[in-house]
Amino acid sequence: MAYHQQDPYYDSAHSTPIHPGFPPPASAIHNQQYPAYDNQWDERPGSAKSVQSSQFHGSQVHLNPQYEMSQVHIHTPPVPSMPYNAYQPDYPPVPGRPGPLREMNTGYSVAREKLMKRRSVRHVELQNGNLVLDVAVPTHIVPKGMGGAEEMTKMRYTAATCDPDEFMRRKYSLRPYLYNRHTELFIVMTMYNEDEVLFVKTMNAVIKNIAHLCGRTRSRTWGPEGWKKVVVCIVSDGRSKVNKRTLQVLTLMGCYQEGIAKDSVGGKDVTAHIFEYTSNVVVTETGEVSTGNCPVQIIFCLKEQNKKKLNSHRWFFNAFGPLINPNVCVLLDVGTKPTSTSIYELWKCFDKHSNVGGACGEICVDTGRACSLLLTSPLAASQNFEYKMSNILDKPLESVFGYISVLPGAFSAYRYRALLNGPDGKGPLASYFKGEAMHGGGADGAGLFERNMYLAEDRILCFEIVTKKREAWILRYVKSAKAATDVPTTVPEFISQRRRWLNGSLFASFHSTIFFYRIWTSGQNPIRMLVLQIEFIYNAVQLIFTWTSLANFFLAFFFLVSSATTTTDGAFNFLSQGAGQDVFQIFLKLYIAILFVVIVCSLGNRPQGSKWIYSLCMVLFGICNVITLWCAGWTVYLAVPHSVAGWEDFPHLVATNQAFREIVISLAATYGLYFFSSFMHLEPWHMFTSFIQYMFLLPSYVNILMMYAMCNLHDVTWGTKGDNGSTKDLGGAKKVKGQNGKDMMEVEIPTAREDVDRMWAASRSALKVKAPEEKSHRDAATKQADHDRNSRTNVVLAWVGTNMLMVVAFTSQAFLNWVDTHIATSQGSNFNPYLSFLFIALAALSGVRFMGSLLYLIFRLFGH
């Protein structure tokens, strides 16, 4: 059975115009069926052509602890239980493949191969020129009593052969549009090659949020039927990249079936495979299946090619958005886990404030069970502190002004109306997607500044919304909406991630600062305009300090350490009297040497190829910061009064004691406010679990991350390589003439119901056995290139290092003091012995060259 897909403007049955905002009723569409395809689930084994199995090569990502789905108890109508355990696969043992994992994988492969071989040829009529198939879902996931609800008994497959921007013009459609449902929330989950653990963590969290919406029985918007106002869109970036075990989870949910998709339709290449199903199934990463508290409308868009995340969002906003026409769009990355009420909290912000165009919640670090990650990974702990302080100090400040510089793409929401372009085609979405063509080879003469700027496309989108002409949108931070996400725990991943963040944010900040005057045409009231102007001035000052952060950090180190080691009460007198100067000279030269090493590595090496050098530099920078903090603490100790009487006249103390005024107050205003604001927000725990790790790695944030980012401005890639072609392994749909002369599509699809049920059971069995952890391996060419770059770096460092070591040794104060003590000229003044050695050596070498030249002339004179 298949839908007659309706033209958004004309009813093909009556040739009468239909307004695009009022699609035909679903009952009329359901009655239009094709007998040739209605009996596709033939229990007889049909003769089918053997089709080569499609292979999915997806790397595994294991970043999260096991996710446990807890049920949400809400007042919703009871859903009939489903006999998930009624069908158990019975696979014969396979010789030569011992072990449960191999048996499970073999069982899945056998079931898939059997399904592919038993497919039958069917002729299907095109719907508005497009291939749309409605196929029955596995028996075990159909809720009892829901036989008449086609959205829960049939999965709809659409083979899109167009660009996302042409989706509606090519008369494609989606079930929520055909059912004429109002969509309040349109949620997108973007993924690349994330495994089933990450996918299930996000998917189940979204299901819990929808269940919470259905449980709000007193709400005017939500309630038991609230699930009809929410559509979840999963966009996977590249069919060859998607994780096979994630597809098995989707199979269990009824949102994907093997053997249905086609890679071409009538000679046109398919750009996206769109599966639609209203699922009531909750799946864990181990294949455990249970009944959900409410149905969920799901659109699974499997892109044929890997064209990066921005293209995935273009499918969401430009292809599906005009048909769904939602009120609020929620953006999620697979791997991000919102709490059970977070999506409602974001939506409530839009519902209460009509001028809010975008909002974000609090993104926090997934710290594992009992915060184990903070104890085992200093890198994760430092990022946890960074995230927390940003959510406590930065985001609230920007929310008060009305302009948040960035709404994180991992968890944010936008009012769809605020994103739409104007009649001239310009607007937030046009600017947002400009970076896709720019980084995909169509830069059209764009310079390095602009291409780096569009690496931070989410910052550009925020700026465009607030400065959209005559619409007066603002952005808000919603603290009650929380979501946990994974952070890099290895040095190469951390540096690579921050390279794109820093370059994009730096140049996007320049862009917003330069074009600040656009706020005066945004339609804001005068007070809001003045407040926004103050914020842009504040951001400009912050930008100056960001640009000069490298020098500022070094100068702070230099002056704090030098001032604490030159006094008679030196900070290192506990070692020996006057040892402070020697310590200062050693760490000063060490600091400069580390900067030099980082520059050399950043100019040509990938972090993956020089991870040990970068790790060592982080440790050494941390030691330098320990020295700095010790000297700062010693200076504070000397500056403050050591008696109660000295604190009695505090104003006089501030006026007369310069060290107290400049150092003590500034340090208290920085680190003291960290503590005070954290307690004020009732979230002080990161100060005790992550503050020390953050302070140790703080120099690396400034020196290593900024240095690597600036040295790689030419690299405007997104971190993943896109595919220029697609794998032709699904088979195509051929155009043929039907008996009535109409164009038909000849497709090969599964026809035996038992094969589909067997695939469902095989997917469940395969997930029960945990997949072995696969470490990412570099290909031979990349590995060789990294080796060559690393060898070059080692040679350069050895050459320059040797020379610098000599300079440091013979110019050090210790060597000069030794010369003053032991070596003196006859005139009584000191003369560096190395300079004498250098003059004598150069004279000797010149003498050898002269002797050789003289001997040559003598030999030539005597004929030799």
Side-chain angles (χ1 to χ4, degrees):
M1 185 181 71
Y3 285 119
H4 268 308
Q5 183 175 348
Q6 295 294 329
D7 188 318
Y9 301 98
Y10 294 95
D11 182 345
S12 59
H14 306 285
S15 300
T16 56
I18 297 177
H19 193 276
F22 298 91
S27 58
I29 303 168
H30 288 180
N31 293 331
Q32 299 173 2
Q33 304 174 359
Y34 293 101
Y37 191 61
D38 195 29
N39 297 320
Q40 60 148 318
W41 293 117
D42 190 352
E43 296 299 332
R44 299 168 298 172
S47 60
K49 301 176 183 179
S50 176
V51 181
Q52 182 182 2
S53 300
S54 66
Q55 300 296 328
F56 298 92
H57 304 286
S59 63
Q60 307 293 326
V61 183
H62 296 271
L63 297 176
N64 292 285
Q66 183 178 1
Y67 174 83
E68 295 181 357
M69 177 66 183
S70 59
Q71 295 296 330
V72 181
H73 299 285
I74 57 175
H75 301 287
T76 56
V79 181
S81 61
M82 291 178 275
Y84 294 118
N85 297 319
Y87 186 90
Q88 295 295 335
D90 184 17
Y91 300 125
V94 180
R97 292 181 182 267
L101 179 61
R102 291 186 179 181
E103 289 180 5
M104 293 300 182
N105 288 339
T106 303
Y108 180 85
S109 301
V110 169
R112 186 184 184 282
E113 184 177 357
K114 188 173 184 179
L115 177 140
M116 301 297 282
K117 287 183 177 180
R118 287 160 59 94
R119 293 188 301 174
S120 296
V121 177
R122 291 288 186 267
H123 288 178
V124 183
E125 186 173 344
L126 293 175
Q127 301 183 27
N128 293 323
N130 304 313
L131 176 64
V132 180
L133 307 175
D134 286 282
V135 297
V137 297
T139 309
H140 319 290
I141 65 172
V142 178
K144 290 182 179 179
M146 297 290 182
E150 190 167 12
E151 62 181 319
M152 297 184 185
T153 59
K154 301 279 186 179
M155 182 192 73
R156 189 173 196 257
Y157 169 73
T158 303
T161 59
C162 64
D163 185 78
D165 294 345
E166 301 176 351
F167 190 79
M168 192 170 182
R169 288 196 293 270
R170 294 289 184 91
K171 302 178 183 178
Y172 287 97
S173 191
L174 299 169
R175 275 181 173 174
Y177 175 81
L178 295 174
Y179 291 161
N180 196 22
R181 286 176 177 168
H182 166 67
T183 300
E184 190 69 25
L185 279 172
F186 194 20
I187 303 171
V188 62
M189 295 166 47
T190 52
M191 65 179 181
Y192 173 57
N193 61 355
E194 286 79 0
D195 65 1
E196 77 282 3
V197 177
L198 295 176
F199 175 76
V200 164
K201 182 172 75 169
T202 304
M203 187 72 237
N204 289 350
V206 171
I207 293 174
K208 289 172 70 176
N209 274 269
I210 298 174
H212 174 75
L213 297 175
C214 293
R216 302 191 68 86
T217 54
R218 297 183 180 181
S219 172
R220 292 176 297 175
T221 304
W222 305 109
E225 296 295 310
W227 62 269
K228 294 181 179 179
K229 299 179 181 180
V230 183
V231 178
V232 179
C233 178
I234 305 163
V235 185
S236 185
D237 193 12
R239 183 168 63 87
S240 64
K241 305 294 182 182
V242 67
N243 188 285
K244 184 172 70 173
R245 291 174 67 88
T246 301
L247 287 181
Q248 291 170 350
V249 173
L250 288 165
T251 299
L252 293 180
M253 297 180 67
C255 305
Y256 176 78
Q257 285 187 26
E258 292 282 0
I260 301 296
K262 305 299 171 190
D263 50 35
S264 65
V265 176
K268 296 181 180 179
D269 289 339
V270 172
T271 55
H273 310 277
I274 303 168
F275 304 85
E276 297 177 77
Y277 180 65
T278 300
S279 177
N280 199 34
V281 181
V282 176
V283 184
T284 68
E285 67 267 20
T286 58
E288 297 297 326
V289 182
S290 59
T291 305
N293 286 299
C294 63
V296 179
Q297 300 179 95
I298 298 176
I299 300 172
F300 174 43
C301 176
L302 178 59
K303 291 159 54 182
E304 181 65 23
Q305 299 179 24
N306 168 225
K307 291 192 172 181
K308 304 170 188 175
K309 181 179 176 180
L310 206 55
N311 180 264
S312 298
H313 279 169
R314 195 152 63 90
W315 277 100
F316 174 72
F317 285 118
N318 290 2
F320 307 145
L323 288 171
I324 301 295
N325 192 25
N327 180 26
V328 176
C329 298
V330 179
L331 276 56
L332 279 171
D333 286 347
V334 167
T336 302
K337 179 185 173 183
T339 59
S340 59
T341 61
S342 291
I343 293 178
Y344 168 75
E345 295 292 344
L346 280 181
W347 172 85
K348 186 171 67 174
C349 179
F350 291 93
D351 189 55
K352 290 176 61 178
H353 308 284
S354 60
N355 64 335
V356 172
C360 69
E362 176 183 347
I363 294 185
C364 52
V365 176
D366 190 348
T367 58
R369 292 182 182 272
C371 297
S372 57
L373 188 63
L374 301 182
L375 302 177
T376 57
S377 175
L379 199 59
S382 68
Q383 294 173 82
N384 177 58
F385 184 87
E386 181 189 24
Y387 279 42
K388 280 293 184 182
M389 293 316 304
S390 175
N391 292 324
I392 289 175
L393 294 178
D394 296 332
K395 287 289 191 293
L397 170 68
E398 294 178 331
S399 183
V400 170
F401 282 124
Y403 168 56
I404 298 176
S405 56
V406 57
L407 300 179
F411 181 54
S412 56
Y414 298 91
R415 194 183 299 273
Y416 184 65
R417 186 161 56 91
L419 295 172
L420 296 178
N421 300 323
D424 57 354
K426 297 180 180 179
L429 283 181
S431 299
Y432 183 63
F433 295 122
K434 186 177 179 181
E436 183 188 354
M438 194 172 294
H439 297 113
D444 297 329
L448 194 62
F449 181 98
E450 194 172 9
R451 281 181 289 163
N452 273 283
M453 180 180 75
Y454 278 98
L455 284 175
E457 76 289 340
D458 42 9
R459 290 177 178 267
I460 299 298
L461 184 61
C462 293
F463 180 75
E464 292 292 331
I465 290 175
V466 172
T467 59
K468 192 176 181 181
K469 285 190 176 181
R470 294 179 295 277
E471 296 205 10
W473 297 112
I474 64 172
L475 306 178
R476 282 289 178 88
Y477 168 63
V478 184
K479 187 174 179 58
S480 56
K482 300 178 184 294
T485 188
D486 296 305
V487 294
T489 55
T490 63
V491 172
E493 290 177 339
F494 181 54
I495 295 176
S496 298
Q497 179 200 66
R498 294 305 176 101
R499 186 269 309 170
R500 176 175 164 258
W501 286 12
L502 289 172
N503 284 348
S505 62
L506 179 66
F507 288 96
S509 298
F510 275 117
H511 173 79
S512 61
T513 302
I514 293 171
F515 294 97
F516 74 93
Y517 55 84
R518 288 177 54 184
I519 62 173
W520 299 101
T521 60
S522 62
Q524 307 281 358
N525 62 66
I527 296 178
R528 176 68 65 179
M529 285 187 185
L530 178 63
V531 169
L532 288 173
Q533 184 65 67
I534 294 173
E535 182 181 5
F536 277 103
I537 295 173
Y538 169 80
N539 288 342
V541 175
Q542 288 278 57
L543 183 60
I544 294 173
F545 277 96
T546 300
W547 182 264
T548 59
S549 59
L550 192 71
N552 289 333
F553 205 92
F554 176 80
L555 292 175
F557 162 81
F558 181 89
F559 292 123
L560 277 173
V561 178
S562 62
S563 62
T565 55
T566 54
T567 61
T568 55
D569 296 329
F572 296 95
N573 281 353
F574 64 91
L575 297 176
S576 65
Q577 188 66 31
Q581 274 298 307
D582 295 333
V583 172
F584 171 63
Q585 291 296 327
I586 291 173
F587 279 95
L588 177 64
K589 292 175 172 59
L590 176 64
Y591 195 112
I592 297 174
I594 302 171
L595 279 179
F596 176 77
V597 171
V598 172
I599 291 175
V600 172
C601 291
S602 300
L603 283 173
N605 291 27
R606 296 193 320 134
Q608 291 81 356
S610 303
K611 61 180 180 180
W612 296 114
I613 296 179
Y614 282 115
S615 300
L616 178 61
C617 289
M618 283 186 169
V619 173
L620 294 177
F621 268 132
I623 296 173
C624 289
N625 203 36
V626 170
I627 297 298
T628 306
L629 293 175
W630 167 255
C631 291
W634 183 259
T635 304
V636 170
Y637 172 75
L638 295 179
V640 299
H642 296 164
S643 63
V644 177
W647 290 93
E648 291 179 351
D649 192 357
F650 186 78
H652 177 73
L653 178 66
V654 173
T656 58
N657 193 326
Q658 183 180 6
F660 178 84
R661 184 173 62 248
E662 295 180 357
I663 299 178
V664 177
I665 294 180
S666 63
L667 291 176
T670 303
Y671 303 116
L673 283 181
Y674 284 176
F675 275 93
F676 184 77
S677 58
S678 297
F679 278 98
M680 187 172 62
H681 283 255
L682 303 179
E683 294 182 352
W685 309 116
H686 60 280
M687 297 301 302
F688 304 102
T689 61
S690 306
F691 180 68
I692 294 176
Q693 298 94 316
Y694 175 77
M695 293 304 298
F696 188 81
L697 293 175
L698 181 59
S700 299
Y701 277 84
V702 175
N703 295 307
I704 296 180
L705 298 184
M706 284 294 294
M707 187 73 73
Y708 182 81
M710 298 302 290
C711 289
N712 289 272
L713 285 177
H714 64 286
D715 183 5
V716 292
T717 60
W718 295 64
T720 57
K721 297 180 180 179
D723 293 338
N724 295 321
S726 57
T727 305
K728 301 294 184 181
D729 56 359
L730 298 177
K734 301 178 182 178
K735 184 177 291 188
V736 296
K737 288 291 184 181
Q739 295 179 354
N740 54 3
K742 290 186 177 180
D743 287 336
M744 306 284 287
M745 277 295 160
E746 183 181 274
V747 296
E748 202 169 14
I749 56 174
T751 55
R753 185 65 173 264
E754 63 180 13
D755 291 338
V756 177
D757 287 347
R758 183 178 290 270
M759 277 299 301
W760 186 90
S763 298
R764 184 182 178 194
S765 300
L767 287 172
K768 286 183 177 180
V769 179
K770 187 177 181 180
E773 186 173 355
E774 295 183 8
K775 296 182 179 180
S776 57
H777 297 287
R778 295 169 290 174
D779 57 78
T782 304
K783 192 173 183 178
Q784 183 62 42
D786 284 342
H787 176 74
D788 293 343
R789 292 190 185 105
N790 206 34
S791 299
R792 175 201 60 194
T793 299
N794 292 337
V795 172
V796 172
L797 290 178
W799 170 60
V800 178
T802 305
N803 287 271
M804 291 300 297
L805 185 63
M806 292 180 61
V807 172
V808 169
F810 292 110
T811 59
S812 64
Q813 191 63 42
F815 179 76
L816 296 177
N817 292 338
W818 181 83
V819 171
D820 291 340
T821 305
H822 298 88
I823 299 176
T825 62
S826 57
Q827 287 81 12
S829 61
N830 293 338
F831 193 76
N832 198 306
Y834 183 76
L835 194 59
S836 302
F837 164 77
L838 195 61
F839 288 158
I840 294 173
L842 291 176
L845 291 175
S846 298
V848 171
R849 294 165 65 195
F850 173 77
M851 290 300 298
S853 177
L854 178 61
L855 289 174
Y856 175 80
L857 291 176
I858 293 174
F859 292 153
R860 186 170 181 268
L861 181 62
F862 291 99
H864 294 284

